[in-house]
Amino acid sequence: MAVHRSLWLQESLPGQMDAPPLVGRARADVAIIGGGYVGLWAALRIKQLEPGCDVVVLERDICGGGASGRNGGFALTWWPKFPSMAKAFGESEALRLTKASQSAIGEIGGFCTDNHIDAAFTQAGWLWTATSSVQMNAWESVVSASEKLGLEVFQRLTPVEVGRRSGSPVHRAGVLERQAATVQPAALVRGMREVALRRGVRIYEGTQVTGFTRGRPVVVTTRQGELTADRAVIAMNAWAVGLPELSRSIAVISSDIIATDPIPDRLAQIGWTGGECITDSQMMVCYYRTTYDGRIAFGKGGWGIVYGDHIGPDLDRNADRAHLVEGDFRRYYPSLVDVKITHDWCGPIDRTMDGLPLIGRLGGRENIFYGIGWSGNGVGPSFVGGRILASLALGRTDEWSQCALVDRAQRLFPPEPIRFIGGQVVREAVIRKERAEGADRRASWLAVQLAKLAPSGLEDKE
Ligand SMILES: Cc1cc2nc3c(=O)[nH]c(=O)nc-3n(C[C@H](O)[C@H](O)[C@H](O)COP(=O)(O)OP(=O)(O)OC[C@H]3O[C@@H](n4cnc5c(N)ncnc54)[C@H](O)[C@@H]3O)c2cc1C
């Protein structure tokens, strides 16, 4: 059965040939498992630092076939997580990393320009909004933390301005983070793949890794071959939940997206012409943006919860969940009731307990590294992740390999089946709570208490 591809991949793939699978035995200095943003940024960075290093990327599907070719294309910084980063890492290290995530946005744009990648990079900012009274000022701890440092990261907008920019009456308040950008996500990852190939990275697509030894060298087994490498980087996103060492580090949930017909005239009518990407402040966040050809892509995280490592076709497309997302879209944009939904798709999110990525040495080994847990904010931060993983893989002692994200303490999820059952109970409570709040009703005490057990989200909310 053909794989269901996102709108973005459908736009980006024609005319491109898949790389051949690995067949037989091969050798490399560094093996990278996973050909999404994380694996490819790491590969590109290694080649930049040490052009002679022999890097091989092993990808189960095609590069970008995972979350990198399916996401909403919001390139955000780590500012929304600054308070919890400051608490965990200390203020100066949190600020250093957050600033790196801020520079990453411009560097991604520069990478596209320099390499003639048309990924529709648009730096028009991110509107963080409230769509119910409970959500009002959800951003306050984040915004005031940046203001206390004397930094103008967020612009406080009047409710009228938020309504005007977003083109929707449901937005009651909000702030704008100016650094954020949008990209056509698949065009970016496919462009990265082309550049990596040109710079000598060897890429094998259609090459599922079935296991690897935990020694030195690492012997990576694939369906039809075997790769022996001195060092390995695991950049498998949600699929890393299948590795015993990482199985309790992340929980896999779905994020589901729908896209409309191109409607540039209607966008002009409602006034959403500035290119801002928008989120509300729900735990099960709604995220939405316009595209270069005047569509709206509208997504929501958290409808689906995966049992263990069972990431199946339901995480490529699910009509029931797409229908629920459409319901939110119609509620947020009632004047677009007649607009046709032309595409829907979804993908897995590798959620950590605290919403920050996990980067480190697998089981403490000095030659096997991992970078997972992007928790729905990986488009921008994966650029920083690539730098950290490259420095680790090259054995460098520098600002990246020594940063506070590496080998940090983590809270684990419970083992299955408790994670799945508990996740369902908490998700149902979050849905009940957010439905009540969306209608300006008080949620039940039980729903509120259970919802507090949900792992931390995309932002540190009040
Ligand atoms: C629907 C959706 C919307 C999102 N929206 C946003 C957004 O707007 N902004 C944002 O910042 N983030 C968003 N995200 C998250 C973002 O897409 C990810 O954080 C980011 O793509 C992670 O990059 P990655 O390289 O780790 O993952 P991936 O792109 O998933 O790459 C991992 C790769 O590993 C491969 N792989 C897995 N197992 C194996 C194996 N055994 N052998 C070989 N290869 C293997 C997979 O096929 C995959 O290609 C979204 C995610 C989804 C699913």
Side-chain angles (χ1 to χ4, degrees):
M1 202 173 72
V3 186
H4 179 71
R5 298 288 188 203
S6 67
L7 163 68
W8 320 119
L9 278 165
Q10 288 178 33
E11 286 177 350
S12 304
L13 288 179
Q16 294 197 8
M17 294 260 295
D18 292 355
L22 174 68
V23 179
R25 292 208 167 141
R27 217 195 170 289
D29 294 328
V30 181
I32 297 183
I33 308 174
Y37 298 139
V38 175
L40 291 171
W41 282 131
L44 285 162
R45 177 71 173 172
I46 291 172
K47 278 291 187 189
Q48 183 191 4
L49 294 171
E50 293 188 19
C53 184
D54 184 16
V55 184
V56 166
V57 173
L58 302 170
E59 167 54 52
R60 180 185 69 96
D61 179 16
I62 53 167
C63 289
S68 299
R70 314 184 198 183
N71 61 71
F74 289 43
L76 305 180
T77 67
W78 274 322
W79 270 112
K81 297 297 288 182
F82 180 75
S84 51
M85 287 172 81
K87 200 165 159 208
F89 310 150
E91 190 172 273
S92 80
E93 177 66 348
L95 189 58
R96 189 174 76 84
L97 286 166
T98 305
K99 283 193 167 168
S101 73
Q102 212 169 310
S103 315
I105 312 259
E107 289 177 82
I108 292 169
F111 176 85
C112 291
T113 310
D114 295 347
N115 295 290
H116 311 289
I117 297 169
D118 183 5
F121 179 85
T122 308
Q123 201 159 13
W126 162 49
L127 263 183
W128 179 1
T129 72
T131 57
S132 71
S133 52
V134 171
Q135 293 173 34
M136 295 297 277
N137 299 323
W139 44 83
E140 198 47 46
S141 64
V142 172
V143 174
S144 54
S146 65
E147 287 173 347
K148 268 189 207 129
L149 291 163
L151 301 169
E152 278 185 36
V153 179
F154 293 90
Q155 186 183 345
R156 292 176 185 271
L157 302 177
T158 63
V160 173
E161 179 70 359
V162 176
R164 190 190 65 73
R165 282 174 179 261
S166 64
S168 155
V170 303
H171 300 108
R172 302 186 188 186
V175 288
L176 179 76
E177 192 206 359
R178 296 196 200 93
Q179 292 82 3
T182 54
V183 292
Q184 202 284 30
L188 173 61
V189 69
R190 298 297 294 178
M192 289 166 65
R193 170 189 181 274
E194 289 310 300
V195 179
L197 286 169
R198 281 206 297 277
R199 295 190 184 162
V201 174
R202 288 188 287 144
I203 297 180
Y204 294 102
E205 294 180 310
T207 300
Q208 174 154 3
V209 170
T210 51
F212 57 88
T213 61
R214 269 63 170 171
R216 186 184 280 268
V218 189
V219 181
V220 185
T221 316
T222 70
R223 292 246 149 136
Q224 295 170 272
E226 191 180 279
L227 177 72
T228 303
D230 299 327
R231 285 147 285 160
V233 173
I234 295 157
M236 290 161 61
N237 189 11
W239 289 271
V241 77
L243 300 176
E245 295 93 335
L246 300 175
S247 65
R248 291 183 54 196
S249 301
I250 51 176
V252 182
I253 59 170
S254 76
S255 199
D256 295 80
I257 306 191
I258 57 167
T260 67
D261 250 342
I263 46 161
D265 297 345
R266 303 292 292 277
L267 292 178
Q269 270 169 18
I270 63 171
W272 189 10
T273 51
E276 304 90 338
C277 52
I278 310 177
T279 61
D280 62 17
S281 298
Q282 296 191 93
M283 169 78 65
M284 282 174 62
V285 66
C286 288
Y287 54 94
Y288 29 111
R289 55 163 292 182
T290 52
T291 65
Y292 71 97
D293 57 348
R295 297 174 191 269
I296 294 176
F298 193 106
K300 188 169 177 91
W303 279 121
I305 300 180
V306 169
Y307 183 88
D309 61 354
H310 297 189
I311 305 174
D314 184 50
L315 264 284
D316 296 331
R317 183 182 207 183
N318 179 295
D320 294 339
R321 293 199 308 262
H323 191 65
L324 291 167
V325 177
E326 183 180 345
D328 280 323
F329 165 64
R330 302 289 182 201
R331 199 157 55 79
Y332 279 28
Y333 286 93
S335 67
L336 302 180
V337 64
D338 55 318
V339 168
K340 207 170 137 207
I341 307 301
T342 54
H343 297 76
D344 66 89
W345 69 94
C346 61
I349 301 278
D350 49 349
R351 186 91 179 256
T352 58
M353 270 293 195
D354 63 5
L356 286 168
L358 296 164
I359 302 176
R361 299 165 175 84
L362 191 75
R365 288 174 192 86
E366 285 297 338
N367 66 327
I368 308 179
F369 310 98
Y370 61 90
I372 60 163
W374 306 92
S375 301
N377 181 12
V379 177
S382 61
F383 183 88
V384 183
R387 291 211 156 156
I388 299 171
L389 288 165
S391 286
L392 287 169
L394 293 175
R396 294 189 164 214
T397 305
D398 62 17
E399 62 192 303
W400 303 111
S401 62
Q402 306 230 298
C403 78
L405 280 168
V406 175
D407 289 329
R408 69 195 181 87
Q410 50 171 299
R411 271 175 62 211
L412 299 176
F413 286 92
E416 295 294 18
I418 301 167
R419 171 171 52 190
F420 182 72
I421 296 167
Q424 302 269 14
V425 171
V426 171
R427 187 201 50 188
E428 288 307 314
V430 171
I431 292 172
R432 282 203 306 281
K433 175 176 172 290
E434 299 199 320
R435 281 210 175 125
E437 290 167 356
D440 278 334
R441 280 188 283 110
R442 265 171 81 109
S444 73
W445 178 86
L446 186 62
V448 173
Q449 299 313 310
L450 285 171
K452 285 185 186 160
L453 299 175
S456 177
L458 199 65
E459 307 107 351
D460 290 339
K461 295 199 246 303
E462 286 273 287

